[in-house]
Amino acid sequence: MDEKEVERLIAAWQLIGWPREVPQRPDPAMIEKVAETLQSIFQELRNLEPLVEETVSPFHETPTPTGGEQSADAWTGRGEHIAVGRAAFGRESLNGSLRKAALPSGRQKSYLKTTLSALAEALHVGELSSTAIVDAFEARYHQVEEKVHAFTYVPSNLRATAQKIEQQMQMEGHRPLAALPIAVKELFAVTDWPLEAGSAAWRGRRAQRTAAAVRRLEEAGMLLVGQTASHEFAFGVTTDTPYHGPVHNPCDLTRSAGGSSGGSAAAVAAGMVPAALGTDTGGSVRIPAALCGVVGFKPTVGQIPVDGVVPLSYTQDHVGFLTRSVTDAALLYEVLTSVPAPAQDGRTLRGDDAAQLLSECCLLVPQGWLEEGVDPGILRAFTALLNRFGQWGISVRTIQMPCSASALALVNRVISMAEAARIHDADLRLRATQISSGVRLRLEVGSVLPAPFYLRALQLRKAVRQAQVEALRQARPPAGHAFFCLPTTPIYAPVLGQTKWVWPSSGAREPVADLLVRFTAPFSLTGLPALSLPFPLDASRRSAQPLEDSDPIVPTLPWGAQLVGLPGDDRTLLRLGHVLMQREGQVLP
């Protein structure tokens, strides 16, 4: 893009720039940043053109799901059916895990430093009441929230709500998740709760209805304990915005919790709640899960309704969740998804069943992606993990992907910027100066992004999705399954306010935001289901300032291993994650 083209774009932008708050038009520095960003995007998209020309048909093709798979292009048609019942591992296995799960002994504050499964069993056998759960939440909240800043709103009527749920349980009988506490990211509408989306531009807004996913939680009897902090409009990966300040990582309070669902991850990691809803458009569930040391799950796009969730990207937004175990992720998946469980999911995963599943799985490691740069400590830990997987009977292979992870992250970003600019058009016209500079820049770029850029990115997404699906289909054993496997993020949690990551071997510097989305955005782009599992780094990466010196959440900084499956293969992905965590013996305190 030459200087004349840049000048033409700027002139067009100014021409169509509706009256805004003072200053009426973007200042010169903002214009220059937009132009530089457009130039970079243009060059990167040109580099990816051969992929489009080779694989994309010029005609629209309606995807036809086959077998157990669901098309990742099925952006609409999300139903309202509530599938409460068997977990992804089968009811028999779930009941067994509930009875074996033990609540922490001792102090009341420890009640919530456990899993949904353990709390459910304690409620079922009468060891715990719904009001005791409220007391435990409030005690833990007052103890650690001032250090973590995970929540933006907690309702004042929690005890009354808990009592109402308990009465319903007495009348209607036991429900698996009834009275269990859960938090929701501040992008989810809940009637009469604030709906500010982490932005001063939305200060004072309140929701007039409840998001479909939240309704499913309420209908399952779950107790909504509050809203968790999001990066402004979910358009960032640090959850550090001027409106409510940074969310601190409970594993090390000097470090970022990640984002944009950083508040949800921090609340779970700090033991304030056992589970929380988040959203994922470029990695916003999996990134904070990896940095905070919890489980993060993004289902296949469209399997959980996004109705009533503040959008960022119409075609890439996912509802996901953060938990303390894969079993809990499976419990939430059954409540939130509209996809019925197949009959064969009734089998358990004990003994020979687990060994058989492992022998039926092939893990594909995108070798070229790892060469783009991974922290040496994470790379060592990931390599050791793959060796253990091989010892357990899993086939592990490397694969060369058609283009780099960074390029796919750019395609994800182009689509997000264009669609977010349309969504926040009124905010740019009327409240631009109330939006933080980083988020505003992305929205401004999206507002002047040429249509061919956006359309080319959509074509690239289709081509990439086809390539990802085909690679998994070709690699899976007969009657088996294949998954991509790679670190969730190539770096561990950055220090709060850190914008550049320095690679120790070369001294090269890269933007932290680009690194955090590098391995997650490619699968938000294509809508494949993705699961982040938590693991600790070696002792050289000890936490500088853990939340509790006497009882650290994780003694060393955590990292995440990401598994990605075929569209619609969510339950198998969860079953595999469950078995791997059992074999690894990795359990959160």
Side-chain angles (χ1 to χ4, degrees), residues 264-429:
S264 291
V268 173
M272 287 189 272
V273 287
L277 286 190
T279 61
D280 191 309
T281 304
S284 291
V285 163
R286 290 159 289 151
I287 292 167
L291 302 192
C292 292
V294 298
V295 173
F297 183 53
K298 178 196 78 66
T300 302
V301 69
Q303 288 199 349
I304 300 176
V306 295
D307 304 7
V309 181
V310 177
L312 174 62
S313 172
Y314 294 115
T315 62
Q316 298 181 126
D317 288 345
H318 300 65
V319 171
F321 33 88
L322 299 107
T323 62
R324 298 179 70 80
S325 74
V326 181
T327 306
D328 288 355
L331 283 168
L332 287 178
Y333 179 80
E334 292 301 320
V335 169
L336 290 166
T337 186
S338 59
V339 181
Q344 63 265 30
D345 268 4
R347 66 184 183 182
T348 65
L349 280 182
R350 303 189 185 119
D352 294 340
D353 290 326
Q356 180 179 349
L357 175 66
L358 296 178
S359 67
E360 293 172 349
C361 288
C362 175
L363 300 184
L364 301 179
V365 181
Q367 191 66 31
W369 290 11
L370 299 184
E371 293 169 357
E372 293 183 57
V374 178
D375 172 78
I378 291 179
L379 188 58
R380 285 194 300 271
F382 179 66
T383 302
L385 185 66
L386 292 180
N387 290 335
R388 293 195 293 277
F389 288 169
Q391 294 170 4
W392 299 339
I394 302 175
S395 172
V396 180
R397 294 164 43 189
T398 59
I399 183 173
Q400 291 294 329
M401 303 298 284
C403 54
S404 69
S406 299
L408 299 188
L410 172 72
V411 177
N412 168 270
R413 189 181 309 129
V414 169
I415 295 173
S416 295
M417 287 192 298
E419 295 178 351
R422 177 65 189 91
I423 290 163
H424 293 285
D425 173 71
D427 295 314
L428 280 177
R429 286 189 287 114

Side-chain angles (χ1 to χ4, degrees), residues 227-307:
Q227 285 181 335
T228 53
S230 167
H231 201 105
E232 185 174 19
F233 297 142
F235 216 169
V237 292
T238 63
T239 319
D240 181 0
T241 54
Y243 189 47
H244 51 50
V247 174
H248 296 252
N249 192 322
C251 303
D252 185 336
L253 295 173
T254 68
R255 296 183 178 272
S256 170
S260 63
S261 305
S264 291
V268 173
M272 287 189 272
V273 287
L277 286 190
T279 61
D280 191 309
T281 304
S284 291
V285 163
R286 290 159 289 151
I287 292 167
L291 302 192
C292 292
V294 298
V295 173
F297 183 53
K298 178 196 78 66
T300 302
V301 69
Q303 288 199 349
I304 300 176
V306 295
D307 304 7

Side-chain angles (χ1 to χ4, degrees), residues 70-142:
Q70 173 178 315
S71 168
D73 291 323
W75 311 115
T76 59
R78 304 179 177 103
E80 291 299 316
H81 174 68
I82 299 175
V84 180
R86 289 176 306 188
F89 319 133
R91 171 55 52 193
E92 179 184 351
S93 174
L94 172 61
N95 286 340
S97 67
L98 291 183
R99 290 191 171 87
K100 290 183 178 180
L103 284 172
S105 59
R107 299 166 293 180
Q108 183 186 55
K109 73 170 186 176
S110 298
Y111 279 149
L112 301 185
K113 293 177 64 179
T114 184
T115 64
L116 287 173
S117 305
L119 287 174
E121 176 64 9
L123 280 166
H124 185 59
V125 301
E127 294 178 1
L128 195 61
S129 68
S130 60
T131 53
I133 287 178
V134 171
D135 292 341
F137 165 74
E138 291 180 342
R140 184 68 175 166
Y141 173 87
H142 289 301

Side-chain angles (χ1 to χ4, degrees), residues 445-458:
V445 171
S447 71
V448 296
L449 198 67
F453 284 28
Y454 175 64
L455 296 175
R456 183 54 54 101
L458 293 180

